[in-house]
Amino acid sequence: MAAGHSVDPARWRLMFELVMARIAGHFGRVEPRASARAYLLGLLSQAERKNCWQLAEQAGHIRPWPMQRLLRYARWDADAVRDDIRTYAVDHLGTDDGVLIVDFTGFLKKGRASAGVQRQYTGTAGRIENSQVGVFLAYATSRGRALIDRRLYLPEQSWCGDLERRQAAGIPETVQFATKPRLAWEMIAAALDAGMEAPWVTGDEAYGQDPQLRAALEARGTGYVLAVACSTRVRINRERTTVRADTVADRLPANAWQ
């Protein structure tokens, strides 16, 4: 591991155990708590693959059942764990220059049973593949960066409208279709409502092209730098004139940028 020379193993292990102690109360029983600890250590290990079989082997189990039970059947409060991890990240990384970053990524899958899976574009493969897609929120400052939230993207036609498929995958009836920008806003709003200080939000064109997300950020008084297509028309001359974004960018002198 390239960063291995700069990491104190004893201090790393101590901090890991402190985080586990912080979230331990969100697991109702000792078994899922132990499985969660082993699962996280497996994810952080150098194991070549990170499915339940490999993570179970990494933990010394001969079967994947403890990991599968943790992810599918065990009772624990995932959102409460998320809240504690977000607070931990702010405690250790928080500065006045904090930025929230939204992006989605795909997880290649086989079959059609995994929640949200379908043939769709994923940057993981750089093309349309059978995959799940998750929208993620990261927090970055001059001290470091960390993932602090996540949402599963549930396609509208193939999943949200298929009651039988939803029930088979265990998707609650309360979960409805939401676009990726909408999922991003839910996470941003939750972070800001929790008291996180982040004067800026940034993301790629998938989010910049959504006027509702931009309007929500403006209403909240949160700055943003979101990519848009070069053909997007923007207003200049006190909003009297609309011009393509790339035309405006070409006309600006170098000293106009920060």
Side-chain angles (χ1 to χ4, degrees):
M1 185 170 65
H5 297 296
S6 62
V7 176
D8 180 348
R11 185 170 182 271
W12 184 93
R13 175 67 72 165
L14 174 62
M15 294 186 71
F16 178 82
E17 298 300 344
L18 289 174
V19 172
M20 289 305 305
R22 187 168 189 158
I23 66 175
H26 302 308
F27 296 85
R29 296 171 57 87
V30 66
E31 294 85 359
R33 191 181 313 151
S35 294
R37 181 181 181 279
Y39 185 86
L40 289 174
L41 285 174
L43 290 178
L44 295 168
S45 74
Q46 295 184 9
E48 184 176 352
R49 300 184 65 190
K50 303 293 176 70
N51 60 34
C52 284
W53 272 102
Q54 275 69 36
L55 295 180
E57 290 177 358
Q58 184 77 15
H61 302 306
I62 60 174
R63 294 286 187 273
W65 299 330
M67 303 302 181
Q68 292 173 340
R69 190 179 303 113
L70 170 70
L71 298 180
R72 186 165 179 83
Y73 301 111
R75 295 197 175 195
W76 57 284
D77 193 333
D79 287 341
V81 170
R82 181 271 319 276
D83 291 346
D84 275 351
I85 295 300
R86 182 177 59 206
T87 301
Y88 180 85
V90 173
D91 289 345
H92 287 267
L93 303 178
T95 65
D96 293 338
D97 62 357
V99 176
L100 293 175
I101 307 165
V102 292
D103 200 4
F104 71 87
T105 192
F107 306 92
L108 301 182
K109 291 285 184 178
K110 295 182 179 179
R112 63 186 305 274
S114 298
V117 71
Q118 71 167 18
R119 287 188 59 79
Q120 54 193 323
Y121 177 80
T122 167
T124 306
R127 59 183 181 273
I128 294 176
E129 287 284 355
N130 200 57
S131 61
Q132 291 172 305
V133 167
V135 182
F136 295 88
L137 183 68
Y139 179 57
T141 74
S142 55
R143 293 181 179 176
R145 58 196 182 276
L147 289 173
I148 58 170
D149 208 346
R150 77 288 174 258
R151 293 288 191 280
L152 175 67
Y153 174 68
L154 203 62
E156 184 173 16
Q157 299 300 325
S158 61
W159 276 94
C160 288
D162 190 332
L163 181 59
E164 183 177 346
R165 197 177 190 191
R166 289 171 59 111
Q167 290 177 338
I171 298 172
E173 294 182 3
T174 54
V175 176
Q176 302 298 318
F177 173 72
T179 64
K180 297 181 184 75
R182 176 63 192 179
L183 295 174
W185 170 244
E186 290 177 1
M187 294 187 291
I188 294 167
L192 296 177
D193 288 344
M196 176 174 282
E197 295 185 6
W200 291 93
V201 171
T202 186
D204 63 19
E205 188 178 329
Y207 307 95
Q209 69 184 359
D210 187 276
Q212 292 181 332
L213 175 58
R214 300 197 308 268
L217 290 168
E218 290 170 10
R220 187 82 188 225
T222 301
Y224 59 83
V225 178
L226 301 171
V228 296
C230 63
S231 58
T232 300
R233 302 191 72 83
V234 297
R235 293 184 176 275
I236 61 174
N237 296 335
R238 297 183 180 179
E239 300 193 354
R240 293 194 299 265
T241 308
T242 59
V243 186
R244 280 175 56 113
D246 55 353
T247 300
V248 176
D250 289 340
R251 291 176 181 175
L252 291 173
N255 60 7
W257 298 92
Q258 297 183 29

